[in-house]
Amino acid sequence: MPRPLVNKTMAMQEQAAVLRAPRYGDDQSADLLLYLRPLEGPALPPLLLHSRALRKSEFFEARLSERWASASSSSSESGQFSKPLEITLDKCVDTGAYVRCIQLLYADCVKHTTFSDVQDALRILQVAAELLFHDCVGACMRYLESVPWSAENESAIRSCVAALHLQVSPDLAARLCSPASLLDCKPADVMQDVLGELLTLVTNGAPSKARDITERVLLANVQESSSPAFAAVNEVALFKQLQSNLEQLKIQLRKFSNSISWNSHQVTVACSVVCWLLDELFALQIADAAVKMFSEEQELAQVMVSRIYQNPFTETLFQILVRLLQALQKGEVVSPRQVRLGLVTTWLPVIAKLGNDGGYNFGKDSELQKNLEDGLGAVVETLPIVDQEMIFKIWIGACLKCRKVWPDLSKAFDAWCGKLRQAQQEADMDMVRALLRSEESFSLEEPISTPSVR
């Protein structure tokens, strides 16, 4: 072959070799030695690498630019090419992750199949972030955003992102619920919407599974690890549903009282739901407003006595009142004087009318009857004697004229009478003491007369 043709062929082969992407492990064409110094343990053998591949990393690009400039200067002075460049990375925590990441610098693109699981992706991410290998960082984030997480995985991702001060991808940020991704979507508002839908399902008679899920959500919202905003979400959602169900109940009871066709199933469901909502409010220790709500529920009280015979809500009403009164009796709820007075004055006439005139038969449920009487008596005794006077006038007019005399508040009435007598005795004693002080003062002011001397 002619010499010019041979030279041309060799030149083309050399050019093709230059253009051909370097392969990891091709020691013959390597032009760089990389030393990985582990944080602990013996040093590893140097890696024979290619500067062309490493330049995908901004870290190596900067280091190589410095080294090439230095190498070119020394080679021009000596007139010969210098030995391969050397770069050392100290304090490598996970040398295996460094080797993996360097291997990825040789790849055309970093595929999702590179990572075996979340922990593996996090190992690579930490090294890629340190080396400013942006393609790999992006691939790690795409993988992490798209695969399932355990609770431990999520915690590890949050810690890694925070420690590296990374600008995470929008999709990963949204999945982590980072503040920047929630500018147009507040978690508390989302929870309120979802909880509202769950409560609506439960109040419409959904299966027990929906109720179990709702109870877990309500309980988790008030844990110490949760924001106070979520506790407020519970309160708003539960009271909204309680008011809604009471309104539905009143609609059906008005139909019942006016002898219009009414839906007994809706009444049954509403009764069950109202009791469940109250149980949840008490369990979450936010039932104070429920006591106040029932103390002001004049409309429901009037509907209840408009048709008392076989009223479908009577038993449920008694159960609700027992729950409220016992909560006040045990100090489970601390309500102001006006709320306690309103609760008794609003519902005592209703209880008396349903129990006496309505012919409600407690039957074997004597415990409900006793609890209602005991709760009423206990709450009455928490009130001042002037408030008790108002209550006992209602009781005398509504109950003592009936043969059954229910509820029997005679024990509380006797205690009130005793307080009146004691108060009068103390007032009498104060009057006597005042008279004595007045007489002593008067005797001290009289002049002392001296006998005349003859």
Side-chain angles (χ1 to χ4, degrees), residues 264-423:
S264 61
H265 174 70
Q266 284 190 7
V267 173
T268 302
V269 171
C271 289
S272 173
V273 167
V274 168
C275 291
W276 176 75
L277 289 170
L278 284 173
D279 287 341
E280 291 302 309
L281 288 167
F282 277 110
L284 299 172
Q285 300 180 355
I286 52 174
D288 304 60
V291 178
K292 185 175 185 295
M293 180 192 300
F294 274 88
S295 73
E296 299 170 348
E297 195 52 82
Q298 299 289 341
E299 184 181 2
L300 180 59
Q302 291 174 2
V303 172
M304 286 300 298
V305 296
S306 58
R307 182 181 173 186
I308 58 177
Y309 184 66
Q310 292 185 341
N311 190 311
F313 186 55
T314 298
E315 183 175 359
T316 301
L317 174 65
F318 286 168
Q319 292 172 347
I320 289 172
L321 291 175
V322 165
R323 187 70 181 92
L324 300 178
L325 292 168
Q326 286 185 337
L328 292 170
Q329 181 181 3
K330 298 174 182 178
E332 191 177 351
V333 170
V334 178
S335 297
R337 166 188 172 186
Q338 290 302 319
V339 172
R340 303 195 306 274
L341 177 62
L343 186 67
V344 177
T345 55
T346 297
W347 293 106
L348 178 57
V350 178
I351 293 170
K353 196 166 186 64
L354 292 172
N356 295 316
D357 300 340
Y360 178 76
N361 183 16
F362 285 95
K364 296 181 179 180
D365 202 358
S366 58
E367 185 178 358
L368 176 62
Q369 181 179 9
K370 182 178 184 300
N371 289 338
L372 196 49
E373 285 182 335
D374 292 346
L376 277 170
V379 173
V380 168
E381 291 189 28
T382 67
L383 295 167
I385 58 174
V386 292
D387 292 346
Q388 291 187 39
E389 177 188 4
M390 184 189 314
I391 292 170
F392 286 123
K393 284 182 177 179
I394 295 173
W395 178 65
I396 291 170
C399 300
L400 291 187
K401 65 181 181 181
C402 301
R403 180 174 59 85
K404 193 158 93 171
V405 188
W406 188 82
D408 186 359
L409 301 181
S410 56
K411 183 179 178 181
F413 180 74
D414 291 342
W416 175 69
C417 291
K419 288 180 182 178
L420 286 176
R421 297 185 190 99
Q422 182 181 356

Side-chain angles (χ1 to χ4, degrees), residues 131-147:
L131 300 180
L132 301 178
F133 183 10
H134 300 303
D135 289 345
C136 187
V137 169
C140 290
M141 289 190 181
R142 288 191 296 274
Y143 176 84
L144 292 172
E145 183 274 326
S146 62
V147 298

Side-chain angles (χ1 to χ4, degrees), residues 70-117:
S70 175
S72 298
S73 175
S74 60
S75 63
S76 62
E77 293 176 358
S78 62
Q80 59 183 2
F81 291 105
S82 62
K83 61 181 180 179
L85 297 178
E86 296 182 1
I87 296 178
T88 301
L89 298 180
D90 293 316
K91 299 181 179 179
C92 300
V93 177
D94 186 350
T95 53
Y98 279 86
V99 173
R100 290 270 307 284
C101 196
I102 288 166
Q103 289 173 341
L104 293 174
L105 285 167
Y106 284 80
D108 294 332
C109 64
V110 181
K111 299 179 179 179
H112 67 276
T113 53
T114 300
F115 315 110
S116 59
D117 54 29

Side-chain angles (χ1 to χ4, degrees), residues 22 24 31-34 47-64 85 87 89 101-106 131-133:
Y24 181 81
D31 60 354
L32 185 145
L33 292 175
L34 179 65
L47 299 175
L48 292 169
L49 304 174
H50 304 80
S51 58
R52 182 181 167 193
L54 267 58
R55 287 184 183 276
K56 292 181 182 179
S57 155
E58 287 188 9
F59 170 81
F60 284 122
E61 172 67 23
R63 295 289 297 274
L64 288 170
L85 297 178
I87 296 178
L89 298 180
C101 196
I102 288 166
Q103 289 173 341
L104 293 174
L105 285 167
Y106 284 80
L131 300 180
L132 301 178
F133 183 10

